[in-house]
Amino acid sequence: MTEQKRAVILVSGGLDSTTVLAMALSQGYACYTLSFDYGQRHRGELLAAERVSVALGDVEHKVVKLNLDSIGGSALTDLSIAVPEEETQGIPITYVPARNTIFLSIALGWAEVLGAHDIFIGVNAVDYSGYPDCRPEYIAAFERMANLATKAGVEGQKITVHTPLMNLTKGEIIRAGAALGVDYALTVSCYQVTEDGLACGKCDSCRLRRQGFIDAGLEDPTRYRRYPAGGL
Ligand code: ZN
């Protein structure tokens, strides 16, 4: 009997990475899920990451602590920069400097330790075209680097970075996940989610998520904060 192939899956507790985890599981991988406590303001996502990893059936869930708030530079890691609640132009202030390179590098290290040759990340070039580290050419460059930089790569065991969501719209992602039985009520997408998992309904991430459920023709299970009259 051949041993089940292992994969490292980056999970944030959000809709996208949860769908990716479901996809990797459906492809028969033994999934090792990785999250980062990186000083993000939306701490509720760490709880969600743990929740979805357990619910979907990973082998092991690891949280690596990184104090990216010590360098700041993003509305997600610097509390003095507000999360925009309206659409903005160009690369948004919620971009975290070099985040995917930092995250993928740690995923690569863990993959090498585990003897895994596959890494899954839920980047998407359709809805987040403003983020330079979500583009296919970036992923191709990282994969090439990964194969140059590791013992596994040098010894001929190719490392692949899988991005199954790259060209899907949010609605298509939700439909794909729902078909795999994902319970999106477990996930959290809001950039400023409360400790108990209530979404703001106003940030970029909330808006995209809400539109995704509308496009998918499915009910949005997100729990939103209550606003006084005139709010949501
Ligand atoms: Zn939000």
Side-chain angles (χ1 to χ4, degrees), residues 125-149:
V126 178
D127 287 330
Y128 285 94
S129 49
Y131 291 153
D133 54 357
C134 291
R135 296 177 295 169
E137 50 270 54
Y138 161 73
I139 296 294
F142 186 92
E143 192 179 86
R144 183 169 140 70
M145 185 280 292
N147 283 288
L148 290 171

Side-chain angles (χ1 to χ4, degrees), residues 83 189-193 199-207 225:
V83 172
S189 302
C190 179
Y191 288 143
Q192 43 190 357
V193 69
C200 77
K202 295 182 173 181
C203 71
D204 249 10
S205 189
C206 276
R207 283 201 302 267
R225 273 184 237 168

Side-chain angles (χ1 to χ4, degrees), residues 78-185:
D78 181 341
L79 290 176
S80 69
I81 305 174
V83 172
E85 294 191 340
E86 264 139 52
E87 234 171 291
T88 53
Q89 294 299 309
I91 296 175
I93 192 65
T94 46
Y95 163 74
V96 178
R99 183 173 63 184
N100 283 348
T101 305
I102 295 165
F103 287 4
L104 278 172
S105 297
I106 293 170
L108 176 61
W110 196 26
E112 208 174 10
V113 172
L114 292 167
H117 306 132
D118 298 276
I119 297 170
F120 284 75
I121 180 168
V123 292
N124 177 270
V126 178
D127 287 330
Y128 285 94
S129 49
Y131 291 153
D133 54 357
C134 291
R135 296 177 295 169
E137 50 270 54
Y138 161 73
I139 296 294
F142 186 92
E143 192 179 86
R144 183 169 140 70
M145 185 280 292
N147 283 288
L148 290 171
T150 54
K151 179 171 180 283
V154 167
E155 291 178 349
Q157 289 155 329
K158 186 174 176 347
I159 289 160
T160 304
V161 180
H162 300 263
T163 58
L165 310 187
M166 185 61 86
N167 298 309
L168 301 183
T169 64
K170 193 64 92 188
E172 288 168 339
I173 293 167
I174 292 170
R175 270 198 299 270
L180 291 170
V182 173
D183 175 6
Y184 286 114

